[in-house]
Amino acid sequence: MRIPNIPGFDQQALEKYFKNTGMLFAGRIGSLLIKMMVGIQVANYLGRESNGIITGGTVYIYFFSAVATLGLDQFIVKELHQYPENRDAILGTSFWLKVLSGIICIPLIYGAYMIYPAKATPYSYVFILSFIGIAQAFNVIDSYFQSQVQSKYIMQVQVAGNLLSAGVKMTLIYQQMPLVYFAYAFLFDVVLLSTGYFFTYQRKQRSVFNWNFNGMLARKLLTYSWPLIISGIMVALYMKIDQLMLQNMVGVKEAGAYATVAQLSEAWNFVPAIIVSSLFPAILNARRDDPVRYKKRIQHLYDLMVYLSVPAALIISFASPLIYKLYKPEYAYAAPVLSVHIWSGVFVFLGAASGQYLIAENLNKLTFLRTGFGAIINIVLNLILIPKMGMMGSAIATLIAYASAAFIILAIPKVNKQGIMMLKSLFLFSLFQKAFNR
């Protein structure tokens, strides 16, 4: 079956990248369905209080995920795309940088917990989860297959890993194991994926044992990525600080209910990540070869983000009461909160797309500005709204913060045209232009 022609993309390239994106979607959708079903069962087994306790531990890991990954993933794809002959040096250098940063994160996480502890969440849970930063170093293999437009291998690993993970968690529920075992299960999830990546890469004359560390390349990667590390911390703050603030200001039960909202709402955030990572090589090619096509591809990417995110937000907004029928009655009052929180995804989609433009143009420092701005907005609004509205206040603060972070580029002359292009997509002006130009 042939893919219909889309202006701005040639047919051969479109089919190639669509096939790759389709493979990623298949894997992630399968993984998503497995995770959602198991996540609902885990939440029902644990109840609001225990669910809040374990969520409080995962928040700290999320805060330092940008430090652990060093913001390298997209740069690995870019380097492999430009210098495929340096594959072993690029992957080896990136791997060891991630291992080192994962080790460094363990005392940093401890320090963050000491400064602002999550009420009712023991540090022992946080300590177990803090090893995730080291375990995820093999994710560089994911970036390799993205650069080769061979995401079917990643799809296979993710589906198999999530099936095994689901089996482990359902066994814990069946055996009625205590809460600490679920902390180990979250760490085991990452170990499973890393093991799968390792064995997948070992095929076809590839070997991780051929990887090597290059000091000059390490400095180059860190020079490019440090703004993304800082911006990643800011992203984590404005994506997760609401959960920690809610737990400390209202209580662990409220945080446990809100955790289900965040899990359902943010479950779809992999969609823009897949699209932009799969199409990034095509965008880089257009930037190199044809400026007009480059601009069209960016605009079409914004359009696609809106076409996917807005209908999904509408559907989930109206379906939220039905979705919460799957949970115990104690969670039902979170349904209206989901109807608000889900709209933040629209701005996540647009922000992911514009982020690729900033990387392509080597404007990575602006990523720090936009995410820092979003983090400040989210913290201030949470301080104001949580005491008055509880978790609904957190959802509103998150929505406003995401929108602010996405569109702050309108105030930056160097890139404000990208903000205008996003607005054209959001308000469907671009769609109307296409309809009338036919």
Side-chain angles (χ1 to χ4, degrees):
M1 182 183 72
R2 288 178 62 81
I3 308 301
N5 282 307
I6 296 178
F9 286 84
D10 61 80
Q11 184 69 17
Q12 184 177 3
L14 180 64
E15 291 188 357
K16 177 183 179 182
Y17 291 112
F18 182 86
K19 182 178 180 181
N20 183 62
T21 304
M23 286 293 184
L24 275 171
F25 263 106
R28 293 294 180 89
I29 289 292
S31 298
L32 171 63
L33 293 175
I34 295 166
K35 284 184 175 180
M36 287 184 68
M37 290 187 292
V38 174
I40 291 170
Q41 294 302 314
V42 169
N44 285 337
Y45 170 72
L46 296 178
R48 286 188 300 157
E49 183 172 357
S50 293
N51 197 43
I53 290 171
I54 198 72
T55 300
T58 61
V59 166
Y60 289 96
I61 310 310
Y62 199 93
F63 285 162
F64 287 92
S65 61
V67 179
T69 61
L70 294 174
L72 287 177
D73 293 343
Q74 286 303 322
F75 288 105
I76 297 171
V77 174
K78 188 175 180 180
E79 287 292 307
L80 288 168
H81 183 260
Q82 293 179 337
Y83 310 106
E85 69 279 5
N86 292 338
R87 179 190 68 192
D88 290 336
I90 293 168
L91 292 177
T93 302
S94 302
F95 172 79
W96 287 111
L97 284 174
K98 286 192 173 191
V99 169
L100 179 61
S101 63
I103 294 171
I104 292 172
C105 278
I106 295 175
L108 292 178
I109 291 169
Y110 172 77
Y113 181 88
M114 291 296 104
I115 293 170
Y116 190 61
K119 290 182 179 178
T121 299
Y123 173 71
S124 59
Y125 291 14
V126 179
F127 179 71
I128 293 167
L129 294 166
S130 64
F131 286 91
I132 287 175
I134 302 172
Q136 55 77 50
F138 277 106
N139 284 6
V140 297
I141 294 172
D142 187 341
S143 298
Y144 166 73
F145 284 115
Q146 286 182 32
S147 73
Q148 300 299 302
V149 197
Q150 295 177 341
S151 294
K152 63 180 180 180
Y153 300 113
I154 299 303
M155 177 266 292
Q156 294 167 357
V157 171
Q158 290 173 347
V159 171
N162 280 288
L163 282 171
L164 287 171
S165 172
V168 169
K169 290 187 177 73
M170 294 305 294
T171 300
L172 294 178
I173 293 172
Y174 180 76
Q175 295 291 332
Q176 297 187 332
M177 302 301 287
L179 182 58
V180 67
Y181 283 83
F182 289 88
Y184 284 111
F186 282 115
L187 173 60
F188 183 63
D189 289 348
V190 181
V191 173
L192 269 177
L193 286 178
S194 293
T195 303
Y197 290 153
F198 172 84
F199 285 109
T200 300
Y201 185 82
Q202 293 299 99
R203 304 174 186 172
K204 297 183 179 180
Q205 288 75 53
R206 295 183 299 258
S207 175
V208 299
F209 301 106
N210 293 330
W211 291 356
N212 57 83
F213 184 86
N214 184 299
M216 291 183 62
L217 178 59
R219 286 192 291 272
K220 175 185 176 182
L221 289 173
L222 291 175
T223 299
Y224 283 134
S225 68
W226 74 261
L228 292 184
I229 298 172
I230 299 173
S231 67
I233 295 172
M234 296 297 104
V235 168
L237 281 173
Y238 85 81
M239 289 189 73
K240 294 295 182 181
I241 193 64
D242 53 345
Q243 295 186 36
L244 188 56
M245 292 175 72
L246 189 67
Q247 181 169 336
N248 285 343
M249 295 171 70
V250 180
V252 70
K253 289 185 177 180
E254 188 86 347
Y258 187 69
T260 64
V261 171
Q263 183 181 41
L264 292 169
S265 179
E266 296 167 4
W268 309 98
N269 289 355
F270 73 86
V271 175
I274 288 176
I275 293 173
V276 299
S277 63
S278 292
L279 296 181
F280 194 43
I283 290 171
L284 289 175
N285 287 338
R287 181 180 182 274
R288 179 191 62 205
D289 301 332
D290 188 342
V292 174
R293 176 172 290 184
Y294 175 53
K295 183 177 179 180
K296 286 182 178 180
R297 286 188 172 181
I298 295 292
Q299 183 67 69
H300 290 310
L301 183 58
Y302 293 147
D303 293 344
L304 182 59
M305 296 295 101
V306 171
Y307 302 160
L308 291 173
S309 61
V310 171
L314 280 170
I315 292 170
I316 293 175
S317 291
F318 288 107
S320 59
L322 295 176
I323 293 171
Y324 271 89
K325 294 289 185 183
L326 300 172
Y327 288 91
K328 286 183 176 180
E330 64 178 305
Y331 289 103
Y333 74 112
V337 182
L338 176 60
S339 297
V340 173
H341 197 290
I342 191 63
W343 286 94
S344 61
V346 175
F347 304 104
V348 172
F349 275 58
L350 287 170
S354 61
Q356 295 303 293
Y357 171 82
L358 296 180
I359 291 175
E361 295 294 324
N362 292 319
L363 298 172
N364 310 310
K365 294 179 182 179
L366 294 182
T367 305
F368 166 67
L369 174 63
R370 72 192 302 189
T371 51
F373 180 72
I376 292 170
I377 293 292
N378 202 18
I379 292 171
V380 171
L381 289 178
N382 271 296
L383 286 171
I384 296 170
L385 297 177
I386 286 177
K388 299 177 179 178
M389 305 174 68
M391 62 178 173
M392 179 59 83
S394 289
I396 294 171
T398 297
L399 175 59
I400 295 173
Y402 282 28
S404 301
F407 283 101
I408 186 62
I409 61 174
L410 284 168
I412 305 172
K414 189 182 295 186
V415 291
N416 58 9
K417 290 182 180 178
Q418 293 299 308
I420 294 170
M421 290 168 67
M422 288 195 293
L423 287 174
K424 285 176 63 178
S425 297
L426 183 61
F427 292 104
L428 305 181
F429 292 155
S430 181
L431 176 63
F432 293 145
Q433 285 179 340
K434 292 176 186 177
F436 287 116
N437 287 336
R438 288 181 178 179

